[in-house]
Amino acid sequence: MANPKIRDIQVIFTEPDNIRLVIVKIITDQDGLYGVGCATFTQRPNPVKSAIEDYLKPFLIGAEVNNIEDIWQSSYVSSYWRNGPVLNNALSGIDQALWDIKGKMANMPVYDLLGGKTREAAAVYVHTSGDSEEEVGDQMQAYVEKGFHHIRVQISTPGYSTYGNKSAKTGNQTTSNKDPLKGPIPITKRIKNYDKNKLYAHPGGVFEPKPYMRSALSLFEYIRNRFGYGIEILHDVHERIPPILGVWFAKEVEKYQLFFLEDLFSPEDNEYFKMVRSQTSTPIAMGELYSSPHEIIPMLKDRLIDFIRIHISDIGGISPAKKIAAMGEIMGVRTAWHGPGDTSPVGHASNLALDLSCYNFGIQEYSIFGENTKEVFPGCPEVKQGMMWPNDKPGLGIDIDEKLAKKFPFKEREYGGAWDTVRRADGSMVKP
Ligand code: GCO
Ligand code: MG
């Protein structure tokens, strides 16, 4: 029987729980044989769709589905200029779908194609956040009682906005701080009737590094006093603070024994990780914003990070991710694939295939699937007792109910669905 070939490539947009998801479906010329892949770049879905439909589809129709690596390598350079989140998400959708097909042809789960299980399930971490330390602690208590052992903790900063907690009081509002001793007063409050529209295209509020760091350090102190050191806590700085303050912060948190401290710097400030490494043993996680091998390789080569936070579809799919994981293993760096709400359940299934098969697995981020999402994606990985479990079906073990997916078309979004525009008190931009 001839090797199956790609007959059609389809892009499916759906947002079952208010997050825009992009799925690729590869149909082969063998009846009933198809695969699904995640190409979700929630802030820019349309260019990803075009990169697939207008460029990769005509390039790949007729290709033999067996040859995943050759398809990946030839597609990667088919644009000549390469890397970046749009082209890599397009490539990821194709790549993950081809791994799904190969598993179905071999009648094996993808994790078996990648070398088999090194663990039965993948430990996950979940998100807590709140306006007060007690609120964060109570959320944490509830998760601990459900068997979770790794908890991300974020807290709002009185008078300012902050990442990970969009509370009405201090989240996306352009807040004003009344106490100048607690931090600068936002420019929108200093100048009467300041035209806020000049500053806030997509209001993400006002962020100031010192008040944020004081709130976070106080939260860690509270959590350790309330829960002790038996539970693992994680924290996401999400860039935002000037790099030298990041170096100071990484040292200050050492006594709280975080499982990891994430996105301490922006990718543009990768060089600062060398300073952190020589001054503290706080475990460092970085990578969700990387979309080129040039960003992650130096981090692994010099052991500048402890956890690879790469968003698999932003790096081009399972094929490149497994190579990065292998380099990580050789250098003593563990995986912690990005798993936010804007990774589709197909993307989570790809994360899980690597979590189970890679010896140097660290932890898996898990954003709880909404009810609609679980219905649109039959075979969603199951999470219980703080672990994500495979369903042992061939391929990625997940599908998309296209009829149901159509019931959740992309909603209109102002500002094109841009990421929050966060600014300092003086009105200057903050990343992100
Ligand atoms: C995380 C990430 C996300 C991103 C989001 C961007 O650690 O899960 O920081 O929350 O902000 O995926 O679209
Ligand atoms: Mg993050």
Side-chain angles (χ1 to χ4, degrees):
M1 177 153 191
N3 289 331
K5 294 184 173 61
I6 295 177
R7 182 165 61 79
D8 190 17
I9 300 175
Q10 298 166 357
V11 178
I12 302 163
F13 279 175
T14 185
E15 66 165 286
D17 285 295
N18 304 312
I19 298 178
R20 298 187 292 190
L21 304 176
V22 183
I23 303 297
V24 169
K25 185 166 184 174
I26 293 183
I27 317 280
T28 74
D29 57 4
Q30 260 182 29
D31 276 354
L33 181 61
Y34 67 89
V36 290
C38 180
T40 298
F41 181 5
T42 199
Q43 291 84 359
R44 294 288 186 274
N46 291 340
V48 173
K49 184 168 190 281
S50 166
I52 296 163
E53 290 181 342
D54 301 332
Y55 302 98
L56 289 183
K57 180 172 172 179
F59 181 72
L60 292 172
I61 294 290
E64 288 194 8
V65 296
N66 280 357
N67 308 326
I68 300 177
E69 187 62 18
D70 184 65
I71 286 175
W72 194 94
Q73 296 294 350
S74 54
S75 302
Y76 180 58
V77 296
S78 67
S79 51
Y80 187 68
W81 278 275
R82 47 201 178 257
N83 299 321
V86 173
L87 297 180
N88 282 353
N89 268 285
L91 200 41
S92 165
I94 304 288
D95 180 77
Q96 291 184 22
L98 292 172
W99 279 104
D100 188 27
I101 289 168
K102 191 175 277 291
K104 289 171 177 172
M105 289 169 68
N107 194 26
M108 293 167 83
V110 169
Y111 60 76
D112 272 340
L113 300 177
L114 296 174
K117 287 181 182 173
T118 58
R119 57 191 56 77
E120 284 309 307
V124 299
Y125 75 86
V126 284
H127 299 174
T128 60
S129 67
D131 278 336
S132 71
E133 294 167 355
E134 293 70 24
E135 190 182 341
V136 179
D138 292 347
Q139 287 180 24
M140 189 164 158
Q141 180 65 36
Y143 275 126
V144 167
E145 285 164 10
K146 285 185 189 146
F148 289 94
H149 187 72
H150 298 78
I151 314 277
R152 188 181 85 172
V153 294
Q154 310 285 140
I155 190 165
S156 61
T157 306
Y160 296 94
S161 74
T162 188
Y163 165 74
N165 187 63
K166 292 189 185 298
S167 70
K169 296 191 217 50
T170 58
N172 271 335
Q173 318 307 318
T174 45
T175 50
S176 72
N177 189 301
K178 296 209 175 28
D179 179 353
L181 291 180
K182 287 225 173 87
I185 296 175
I187 189 167
T188 49
K189 301 293 170 192
R190 286 177 189 274
I191 302 173
K192 250 189 164 5
N193 309 324
Y194 195 93
D195 173 5
K196 272 188 268 185
N197 292 324
K198 260 200 254 177
L199 282 179
Y200 299 108
H202 180 228
V206 175
F207 171 88
E208 276 294 319
K210 296 279 179 80
Y212 149 69
M213 291 193 292
R214 284 196 293 270
S215 307
L217 290 168
S218 170
L219 172 67
F220 302 149
E221 181 71 21
Y222 169 82
I223 293 290
R224 284 313 187 197
N225 289 338
R226 177 167 167 179
F227 293 92
Y229 287 76
I231 288 288
E232 296 290 5
I233 58 173
L234 308 85
H235 183 72
D236 190 347
V237 176
H238 218 262
E239 309 171 79
R240 296 196 171 198
I241 60 182
I244 195 61
L245 294 186
V247 177
W248 175 82
F249 191 64
K251 292 196 291 181
E252 281 301 294
V253 303
E254 190 173 77
K255 55 182 169 292
Y256 298 113
Q257 297 177 33
L258 299 187
F259 183 79
F260 68 50
L261 186 62
E262 176 184 352
D263 277 16
L264 187 58
F265 306 126
S266 300
E268 298 82 2
D269 295 321
N270 266 348
E271 277 300 300
Y272 271 87
F273 282 112
K274 286 177 185 155
M275 271 191 218
V276 173
R277 249 349 191 209
S278 61
Q279 300 186 44
T280 172
S281 61
T282 293
I284 297 296
M286 182 74 181
E288 71 180 60
L289 277 163
Y290 290 167
S291 56
S292 160
H294 310 305
E295 296 171 298
I296 185 69
I297 290 169
M299 297 297 116
L300 301 179
K301 180 175 73 64
D302 298 331
R303 297 179 170 92
L304 295 176
I305 59 174
D306 303 281
F307 292 92
I308 301 165
R309 280 289 288 140
I310 277 182
H311 185 110
I312 287 184
S313 66
D314 271 312
I315 204 78
I318 291 171
S319 296
K322 70 184 176 60
K323 296 168 189 172
I324 289 166
M327 184 179 174
E329 178 186 336
I330 292 166
M331 306 310 282
V333 182
R334 289 172 282 173
T335 65
W337 307 117
H338 194 222
D342 47 304
T343 291
S344 73
V346 177
H348 279 274
S350 292
N351 284 345
L352 183 58
L354 289 160
D355 293 342
L356 297 175
S357 57
C358 294
Y359 174 67
N360 57 319
F361 166 75
I363 190 73
Q364 179 56 57
E365 178 180 18
Y366 171 57
S367 300
I368 296 166
F369 298 129
E371 288 314 307
N372 293 333
T373 299
K374 284 194 275 196
E375 282 192 40
V376 171
F377 294 93
C380 267
E382 194 185 359
V383 172
K384 52 182 193 274
Q385 284 304 320
M387 310 282 280
M388 186 180 278
W389 297 83
N391 58 28
D392 298 340
K393 286 190 189 138
L396 291 171
I398 193 164
D399 205 340
I400 180 167
D401 178 331
E402 291 183 66
K403 215 154 135 262
L404 201 50
K406 283 199 177 74
K407 290 192 174 159
F408 302 102
F410 282 359
K411 299 184 180 71
E412 275 308 305
R413 280 174 169 76
E414 49 180 2
Y415 314 113
W419 180 259
D420 293 351
T421 304
V422 180
R423 293 180 183 274
R424 297 284 303 266
D426 68 0
S428 55
M429 270 306 295
V430 170
K431 290 179 187 172

